[in-house]
Amino acid sequence: QVQLVESGGGLVQPGGSLRLTCAASGRTSSSGVMVWFRQAPGKEREFVAAITWGAGITNYADFLKGRFTISRDNTKNTSSLQMNSLKPEDTAIYYCAAGPTVNRLNYWGQGTQVTVSS
């Protein structure tokens, strides 16, 4: 059973940066994907970024425009989301999810709150 735990959320001023990390315990496969989503108050959950565990192929939501970077460390079974130039509209709960493909995400973290405010 894989368990995902996010960390790194918090309060940051507009224009600031945060780095979120998702730790995957119990992971035994070297394949599959890690995906980050977010959900703002009153809005639907939306895709942020994804990365394959093996080749490290990445995919990003168009609205990010290069501000976020997803990475993974297979030796530590972690994925990180580096978020730069944060805006108030980035305020949301950020979740990581993992599975064989982006359409089969079997495991979800509990989420970490990111608040961008002055």
Side-chain angles (χ1 to χ4, degrees), residues 20-89:
L20 305 182
T21 298
C22 180
S25 62
R27 175 176 168 258
T28 58
S29 173
S30 60
S31 62
V33 298
M34 176 70 82
V35 185
W36 287 89
F37 294 88
R38 70 184 187 184
Q39 187 165 19
K43 296 187 177 180
E44 293 187 352
R45 184 176 64 201
E46 63 181 353
F47 167 80
V48 175
I51 189 167
T52 62
W53 283 108
I57 298 171
T58 60
N59 188 29
Y60 296 93
D62 290 340
F63 62 79
L64 292 178
K65 297 183 179 179
R67 296 185 297 119
F68 293 7
T69 301
I70 189 172
S71 61
R72 91 280 186 247
D73 185 333
N74 283 316
T75 64
K76 297 180 180 179
N77 282 338
T78 59
S79 172
S80 293
L81 186 68
Q82 177 66 41
M83 306 186 296
N84 299 326
S85 302
L86 284 163
K87 305 175 182 180
E89 51 264 42

Side-chain angles (χ1 to χ4, degrees), residues 19 21 35 41 71 73 77 91 101 105 116-117:
R19 185 177 181 88
T21 298
V35 185
S71 61
D73 185 333
N77 282 338
T91 295
T101 69
L105 298 173
V116 185
S117 175

